[in-house]
Amino acid sequence: RQEIRQACDAMPVMSLLTMPFFLAEVRGYSKLYDSLDNEPFKYYNYLQFPFFILFTDMFVYFIHRGLHHPLVYKTLHKPHHKWIMPTPYAAIAFHPVDGWAQSLPYHVFPFIFPLQKIAYLALFFFVQVWTVFIHDGEYVANSPILNGAACHTMHHLYFNYNYGQYTTLWDRLGGSYRKPNEELFRRESKMGQKEWERQCKEMEKMVKAVEGEDDRSYGPPETVKKNI
């Protein structure tokens, strides 16, 4: 319930923060183009897709890694890391400024590079679906290239690894790649009490090293109130 509530609270504020980009686009300040015939050069209508992915994958990595800096982590990014074993709702359960900051590469791209309008909508849909997939806890792909749900679970468990969005490229270049635990791909061990306890112990050590004492509350608000 807390994860859902955080997502619902964040969405309107993130939308307001994003609005200036869309306003600038509809007023013609971006490089968005209408017709496929307006492509800047031959085959650009095809090349814009991998180009968008590569550009945003790189900049999301640096923004995300920057959000783990001690000066901003506790204020902006720590609320998202409350969700140690995230669900699809965690895809938008952010501090609003955090969510907005990580979306900046998607909005900046069409102001720097040409992008066909329908392709823009398709890519935005893809970005949101991908973000849900990497938070859904279904570990289908154990790819050394793709940053799938298992890779991103490593990030939520151990904090300083796997900052990437789509690929492991920038984590490998930046020395922050961590291979997902093999247990995540075996359903019986993935959901087993023994594996959960082991992961929790490792995670708690990392929390103390990175954050100090964990001051987050995990019970319903009324329970927390009574305890206080």
Side-chain angles (χ1 to χ4, degrees):
R1 287 198 300 269
Q2 290 181 61
E3 194 176 58
I4 294 169
R5 181 172 180 175
Q6 186 180 8
C8 292
D9 288 345
M11 279 190 287
V13 184
M14 286 192 288
S15 298
L16 284 171
L17 291 171
T18 306
M19 187 173 59
F21 290 100
F22 290 121
L23 186 62
E25 286 165 10
V26 299
R27 292 194 174 179
Y29 294 105
S30 73
K31 296 188 177 184
L32 291 171
Y33 60 94
D34 292 297
S35 171
L36 294 174
D37 296 331
N38 298 134
E39 62 181 340
F41 56 83
K42 196 174 182 181
Y43 303 122
Y44 187 82
N45 286 329
Y46 300 101
L47 292 172
Q48 63 185 331
F49 292 97
F51 193 19
F52 179 91
I53 296 299
L54 290 169
F55 176 90
T56 56
D57 193 40
M58 176 180 68
F59 277 97
V60 167
Y61 171 82
F62 286 110
I63 291 168
H64 189 183
R65 189 159 186 171
L67 286 161
H68 277 256
H69 191 280
L71 290 176
V72 296
Y73 175 75
K74 282 197 173 186
T75 304
L76 295 183
H77 197 52
K78 185 176 177 179
H80 181 64
H81 273 275
K82 181 172 183 174
W83 321 118
I84 295 158
M85 295 297 289
T87 75
Y89 288 102
I92 43 176
F94 287 93
H95 183 292
V97 175
D98 177 8
W100 172 80
Q102 292 196 62
S103 75
L104 280 176
Y106 312 123
H107 302 297
V108 167
F109 184 91
F111 288 92
I112 303 174
F113 306 105
L115 190 60
Q116 200 274 329
K117 289 181 179 178
I118 301 301
Y120 189 27
L121 293 174
L123 285 164
F124 252 81
F125 178 76
F126 166 76
V127 165
Q128 191 57 58
V129 170
W130 184 271
T131 307
V132 169
F133 279 170
I134 64 174
H135 288 94
D136 69 2
E138 293 299 325
Y139 312 124
V140 178
N142 188 10
S143 168
I145 299 169
L146 292 179
N147 178 55
C151 269
H152 199 66
T153 291
M154 291 293 101
H155 177 72
H156 275 259
L157 281 170
Y158 307 123
F159 300 90
N160 291 334
Y161 303 94
N162 301 353
Y163 299 103
Q165 178 77 347
Y166 313 111
T167 74
T168 62
L169 172 63
W170 289 98
D171 280 300
R172 290 178 183 279
L173 292 174
S176 55
Y177 175 69
R178 177 166 176 155
K179 188 176 184 293
N181 298 345
E182 290 297 328
E183 294 84 356
L184 296 178
F185 300 96
R186 297 195 294 268
R187 185 162 290 275
E188 65 281 1
S189 59
K190 167 192 165 184
M191 301 305 292
Q193 184 70 24
K194 186 178 178 182
E195 176 60 14
W196 279 61
E197 287 174 357
R198 187 186 68 77
Q199 287 181 1
C200 283
K201 282 179 184 176
E202 288 188 28
M203 178 274 298
E204 284 165 1
K205 284 180 187 175
M206 190 66 72
V207 167
K208 286 184 180 178
V210 174
E211 302 181 355
E213 291 300 322
D214 189 359
D215 57 1
R216 292 166 290 193
S217 58
Y218 297 91
E222 59 272 17
T223 307
V224 175
K225 210 169 186 182
K226 283 177 187 176
N227 289 341
I228 292 170

